């Protein structure tokens, strides 16, 4: 008799980025080893009859246990963040290893490696955040780290303690080109934001709602255009992160029409929130939804949906940035209500990303199941050099899978597993939620129960982006 599989998932309706098909899935040693009907027995078997099975999500933009200034601390570390991810159907995360000014990039990576070690329930990789591109960083550290599998880095065009000027951006882009890495740009014009903030505060406009007024869409449009121009000058691909609406999208479409390789990411907050969620009065409640760029309006939500459905967006990420409303380390630093410019930026979203897009995208008829898989798993894995190990259902790939339960449910923070005390999507009606999440062959979430395995996840080395056909070397 032939050796049984460790696990067989029977009668799955598998959806990949290109197909849907009925199959059994044979899994051994954490990998998919056979696909086909009536496979041999497994030591364990799961019947997925009548249910959709997709690749586990790859969340290519989330913040966990990042070092922040003053009293502020992120609420999720690599344990609670990956726990939330699993319960929401995400099985690979790419958070950030952020360099602090004056710090070596190598030291930053080692610090984040330590923070994650033994904590994560599922696999993860790191993007780098470059805030201090010294000659040592540009000539030695970055090239060496890229060769070791840290093949993407985020560049900030805003935030005083992180932003690079145009010359520095050109330097970093030029290293990306030379060594086959991908730069991700946070595109907002820092000087305009600073100027507007000064005016708003001087007029006594301090409430969270003024966060949106301090970062109108033109500051995103201008920086998006500038990022594209800088990348064109260097002749290297870039990815614009957390695109919020029409004017940035127009810049990206314009660049694509010129034949430039400009990839784009959007996030749930630009589909499901508007600036009104920052509050229309002086209440501090809107601090929950303070993130940058800010959510826009319903017309922009529709334009972002168009980019989701027509292929403009390459990846759909959470940009999970976990800060609590209660206590002294989150949205109320030192326990105080602060002016909008001092509210920690970001919203939680690791656990809700997949179900929100599955519900409002696939089950409400806006996108196909294939496009859903492409945006949430396959493209993020390809973009950051993790495919085909991650992001698909194929022989040889890691057995990272989600079996979906369809049916109406109301989203409640009480049901979530992050360490944040709110979700910006409280009360929303969902049409589906992961019924089972498998990571490298191990069931970590089933029928509403999380089965913790800290240390099951390990650090992945990323290869070059497979979305970029020819990374030209200098
Ligand atoms: O407001 C946001 N998006 N906070 C997270 C940090 C970032 O810029 O992605
Ligand atoms: Zn950003
Ligand atoms: Zn972010």
């Amino acid at each position: 008799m032939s050796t049984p599989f460790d696990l067989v998932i029977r009668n799955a309706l598998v959806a990949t980025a290109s197909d849907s098909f009925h199959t059994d899935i044979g899994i051994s040693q954490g990998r998919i080893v056979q696909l086909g009907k009536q496979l041999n027995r497994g030591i364990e078997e799961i019947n997925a009859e009548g249910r959709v099975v997709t690749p586990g999500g790859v969340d290519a933009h989330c913040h966990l246990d990042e070092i922040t200034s003053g009293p502020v601390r992120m609420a999720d570390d690599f344990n609670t963040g990956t726990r939330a991810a699993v319960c929401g159907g995400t099985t690979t995360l790419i958070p950030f290893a952020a360099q602090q000014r004056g710090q070596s990039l190598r030291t930053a990576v080692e610090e984040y490696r330590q923070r994650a070690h033994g904590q994560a329930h599922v696999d993860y990789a790191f993007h780098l955040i470059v805030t201090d591109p010294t000659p040592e960083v540009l000539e030695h550290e970055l090239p060496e780290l890229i060769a070791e599998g840290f093949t993407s880095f985020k560049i900030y065009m805003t935030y005083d303690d992180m932003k690079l000027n145009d010359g520095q951006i050109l330097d970093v882009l030029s290293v990306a080109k030379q060594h086959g890495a991908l730069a991700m740009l946070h595109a907002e014009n820092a000087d305009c934001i600073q100027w507007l903030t000064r005016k708003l505060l001087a007029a006594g406009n301090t409430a969270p709602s003024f966060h949106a007024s301090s970062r109108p869409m033109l500051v995103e449009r201008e920086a998006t255009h500038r990022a594209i121009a800088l990348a064109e000058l260097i002749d290297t691909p870039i990815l614009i992160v957390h695109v919020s609406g029409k004017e940035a999208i127009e810049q990206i479409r314009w660049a694509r029409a010129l034949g430039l390789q400009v990839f784009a990411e959007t996030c749930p907050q630009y589909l499901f929130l508007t600036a009104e969620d920052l509050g229309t009065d002086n209440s501090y409640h809107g601090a929950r939804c303070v993130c940058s760029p800010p959510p826009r309006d319903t017309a922009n939500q529709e334009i972002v949906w168009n980019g989701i459905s027509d292929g403009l967006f390459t990846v759909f990420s959470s940009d999970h940035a976990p800060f609590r409303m209660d206590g002294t380390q989150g949205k109320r630093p030192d326990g105080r209500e602060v002016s909008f410019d001092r509210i920690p930026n970001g919203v939680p979203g690791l656990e809700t990303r997949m179900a929100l897009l599955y519900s409002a995208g696939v089950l409400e008829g806006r996108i196909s199941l294939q496009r859903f898989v492409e945006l949430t798993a396959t493209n993020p894995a390809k973009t950051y050099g993790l495919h085909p190990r991650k992001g698909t259902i194929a022989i040889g790939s890691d057995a990272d899978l989600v079996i979906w339960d369809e049916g109406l449910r109301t989203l409640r923070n009480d049901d979530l597993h992050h360490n944040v005390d709110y979700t910006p999507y409280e009360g929303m009606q969902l049409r589906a939620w992961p019924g089972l999440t498998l990571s490298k062959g191990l069931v970590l979430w089933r029928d509403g129960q999380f089965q913790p395995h800290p240390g099951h996840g390990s650090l992945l080395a990323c290869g070059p982006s497979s979305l970029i056909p020819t990374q030209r070397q200098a």
Side-chain angles (χ1 to χ4, degrees):
M1 242 177 65
S2 54
T3 322
F5 298 103
D6 292 348
L7 170 66
V8 175
I9 297 178
R10 299 264 175 221
N11 310 307
L13 173 55
V14 161
T16 66
S18 55
D19 288 302
S20 289
F21 52 96
H22 288 275
T23 186
D24 297 341
I25 307 169
I27 294 162
S28 282
Q29 297 185 328
R31 301 243 168 163
I32 298 168
V33 290
Q34 207 170 341
L35 294 169
K37 300 230 167 115
Q38 294 171 342
L39 294 188
N40 282 345
R41 75 188 173 90
I43 296 167
E44 195 193 337
E45 302 221 347
I46 293 169
N47 189 1
E49 181 82 56
R51 293 155 85 196
V52 170
V53 178
T54 61
V58 179
D59 194 337
H61 183 160
C62 53
H63 303 268
L64 295 177
D65 209 3
E66 256 172 53
I67 293 160
T68 37
S69 56
V72 174
R73 296 279 173 278
M74 288 197 172
D76 281 313
D77 59 16
F78 289 84
N79 186 325
T80 62
T82 57
R83 174 181 74 192
V86 163
C87 302
T90 287
T91 51
T92 306
L93 286 74
I94 319 184
F96 296 88
Q99 178 196 28
Q100 293 182 281
R101 294 235 171 99
Q103 185 187 38
S104 106
L105 199 50
R106 167 71 64 189
T107 306
V109 169
E110 287 317 316
E111 272 187 22
Y112 281 87
R113 231 196 251 266
Q114 286 305 318
R115 284 164 175 248
H117 184 73
Q119 298 293 312
H121 303 276
V122 292
D123 287 348
Y124 57 95
F126 283 115
H127 305 292
L128 309 175
I129 291 177
V130 183
T131 59
D132 200 358
T134 60
E136 175 63 16
V137 167
L138 295 169
E139 287 159 31
H140 301 290
E141 291 192 333
L142 259 181
E144 284 164 21
L145 287 164
I146 294 167
E148 289 168 31
F150 301 92
T151 56
S152 48
F153 25 85
K154 184 168 176 188
I155 297 170
Y156 283 88
M157 299 171 84
T158 189
Y159 297 135
D160 283 349
D161 49 348
M162 300 179 110
K163 68 180 184 209
L164 302 191
N165 64 35
D166 291 356
Q168 292 172 315
I169 295 173
L170 289 170
D171 282 340
V172 177
L173 290 179
S174 144
V175 174
K177 176 184 165 76
Q178 227 182 321
H179 297 274
L182 181 62
M184 311 153 73
L185 275 293
H186 177 132
E188 289 184 295
N189 180 311
D191 284 359
C192 289
I193 294 168
Q194 219 172 60
W195 189 88
L196 288 166
T197 300
R198 239 184 3 251
K199 297 274 172 208
L200 285 161
L201 294 179
N205 296 321
T206 59
S209 55
F210 293 103
H211 176 73
S213 327
S214 73
R215 306 173 105 98
M217 206 175 329
L218 79 85
V219 309
E220 185 183 354
R221 181 230 300 161
E222 185 282 329
T224 303
H225 184 88
R226 187 157 34 99
I228 291 167
L230 298 175
E232 184 182 4
L233 192 59
I234 301 296
D235 185 21
T236 196
I238 52 167
L239 183 140
I240 310 286
V241 291
H242 44 50
V243 172
S244 75
K246 179 171 186 278
E247 296 185 25
I249 288 175
E250 284 170 351
Q251 296 303 310
I252 294 161
R253 290 197 195 280
W254 168 81
R256 296 252 182 99
L258 286 181
L260 302 175
Q261 285 187 300
V262 177
F263 302 107
E265 172 198 81
T266 195
C267 314
Q269 47 271 37
Y270 306 115
L271 295 178
F272 301 105
L273 301 179
T274 67
E276 287 188 11
D277 290 299
L278 301 177
T280 44
D281 49 20
N282 275 336
S283 125
Y284 203 70
H285 188 63
R288 284 151 47 256
C289 296
V290 165
C291 61
S292 298
R296 305 297 180 184
D297 58 17
T298 52
N300 277 286
Q301 287 180 341
E302 276 316 303
I303 291 164
V304 175
W305 271 116
N306 290 342
I308 288 272
S309 58
D310 73 10
L312 175 95
F313 287 110
T314 321
V315 295
F316 185 70
S317 311
S318 68
D319 192 9
H320 181 81
F323 298 104
R324 296 175 66 93
M325 282 296 283
D326 70 6
T328 57
Q329 300 184 328
K331 296 278 186 179
R332 287 186 174 84
D334 283 328
R336 294 204 192 97
E337 296 189 357
V338 294
S339 55
F340 67 83
D341 56 314
R342 295 171 53 215
I343 299 170
N345 276 205
V347 294
L350 253 174
E351 194 166 354
T352 45
R353 173 187 75 117
M354 298 278 283
L356 284 169
L357 193 63
Y358 195 96
S359 299
V362 179
L363 297 178
E364 290 183 16
R366 289 181 167 108
I367 57 170
S368 68
L369 202 43
Q370 276 55 56
R371 180 70 175 140
F372 167 79
V373 172
E374 181 174 69
L375 280 164
T376 57
T378 313
N379 272 358
K382 286 183 173 176
T383 303
Y384 299 110
L386 294 171
H387 186 268
R389 177 167 174 192
K390 300 292 185 186
T392 191
I393 297 179
I395 292 171
S397 296
D398 281 356
D400 291 356
L401 306 171
V402 177
I403 304 180
W404 286 89
D405 278 350
E406 294 183 14
L408 283 180
R409 56 186 278 159
T410 305
L411 184 42
R412 298 273 175 233
N413 195 59
D414 284 350
D415 297 328
L416 299 182
H417 300 79
H418 58 192
N419 193 31
V420 186
D421 54 353
Y422 74 96
T423 167
Y425 312 110
E426 183 76 28
M428 270 186 64
Q429 288 297 308
L430 295 175
R431 292 169 184 269
W433 192 266
L436 185 147
T437 308
L438 196 72
S439 158
K440 296 187 289 187
L442 202 62
V443 176
L444 295 184
W445 167 252
R446 187 176 198 168
D447 300 331
Q449 295 302 315
F450 174 62
Q451 293 163 27
H453 281 81
H456 176 64
S458 23
L459 175 62
L460 302 166
C462 296
S465 173
S466 51
L467 285 187
I468 304 169
T470 46
Q471 274 276 15
R472 264 186 264 160
Q473 309 284 308

